[in-house]
Amino acid sequence: MANPRQNIPATADTFVHYLFASPGNEAILCSFVNAVLENAGRPPVKETKVLNPFNPKTFVTDKRSIIDIKAVASNDRLFVIEFQVAEHVAFVNRALYYWSKTYGGQLKEGDAYERLNPVAMMILTRFLLFKELDDLHNTFWLTAQARPEFVLTGDLQMHTLELVKEKLGCFETIKKPLRKWLEFFYTADKKSEAEMKIL
């Protein structure tokens, strides 16, 4: 008789939410966030707390958006974490929409714009997102065309992690904390329970 149990991929929405958003798992979420930040040469955060994943609707006609994980760090920086298994033609547009809803959703009518905190989007895909870029982990922000070293604002930051065979060749260039996370997400449903305990 066949084993009725099916392995759930570690990148499935249900598992990601269970792993990062379950009470008591705050340190696990913080570990992943800091692994991505460290690999991009950004400063770490001390702790993270999961927020409501529903982005508020400003108008009745607004599109409803639910993100995988929304979190805030102890320094008030916000993080939106999205795992995408199936390829979507307008995925980058959707990611920017989620970022903008999270960024703009910080203010209520009459609030000063100075109250806006930076939002970093962290996206892990199981499909090729940017065939033009060789790196598995890419970081984007707004810069001047004439002088790319000049960053307009640190409030928008987007990290993409393309966990696909085409980019596994640069796996060893990823710093160890993030590399361990990526190995976990890539192979979790392929390893035995004993191997997973070691990982």
Side-chain angles (χ1 to χ4, degrees), residues 45-167:
V45 294
K46 286 186 179 172
E47 56 187 39
T48 51
K49 171 175 81 169
V50 174
L51 300 174
N52 183 348
F54 292 86
N55 277 324
K57 289 175 72 167
T58 310
F59 301 100
V60 175
T61 55
D62 277 0
K63 185 174 174 66
R64 185 175 187 227
S65 64
I66 309 168
I67 53 186
D68 288 344
I69 300 292
K70 182 160 53 171
V72 62
S74 52
N75 60 359
D76 293 327
R77 293 183 70 90
L78 293 166
F79 297 92
V80 176
I81 301 169
E82 274 292 305
F83 282 68
Q84 186 69 22
V85 176
E87 190 167 359
H88 189 283
V89 67
F91 181 69
V92 172
N93 304 80
R94 189 174 85 177
L96 282 170
Y97 178 75
Y98 286 175
W99 177 89
S100 66
K101 290 294 284 183
T102 303
Y103 189 69
Q106 297 178 73
L107 297 184
K108 296 187 286 297
E109 190 174 347
D111 285 349
Y113 293 110
E114 292 80 7
R115 293 189 59 183
L116 288 166
N117 292 301
V119 176
M121 188 97 192
M122 297 179 173
I123 302 163
L124 189 146
T125 66
R126 291 305 307 266
F127 57 88
L128 190 62
L129 194 56
F130 304 115
K131 62 182 179 191
E132 304 85 356
L133 301 174
D134 296 329
D135 292 331
L136 187 155
H137 177 196
N138 290 289
T139 306
F140 301 89
W141 39 61
L142 294 174
T143 64
Q145 182 174 336
R147 289 181 53 199
E149 72 279 4
F150 180 82
V151 179
L152 175 66
T153 176
D155 283 11
L156 188 155
Q157 194 177 125
M158 191 169 290
H159 300 268
T160 59
L161 304 158
E162 297 169 84
L163 204 48
V164 292
K165 62 181 180 181
E166 293 93 333
K167 297 201 174 184

Side-chain angles (χ1 to χ4, degrees), residues 10 15 19 28 31 163 171 176-199:
F15 180 76
L19 178 68
I28 295 174
S31 168
L163 204 48
F171 207 67
K176 189 174 181 181
L178 182 58
R179 193 165 69 239
K180 287 291 185 189
W181 271 111
L182 295 176
E183 184 183 350
F184 169 76
F185 285 121
Y186 191 72
T187 63
D189 58 332
K190 303 173 184 68
K191 289 183 178 287
S192 68
E193 196 168 327
E195 289 172 314
M196 285 307 297
K197 281 182 181 176
I198 294 168
L199 181 59

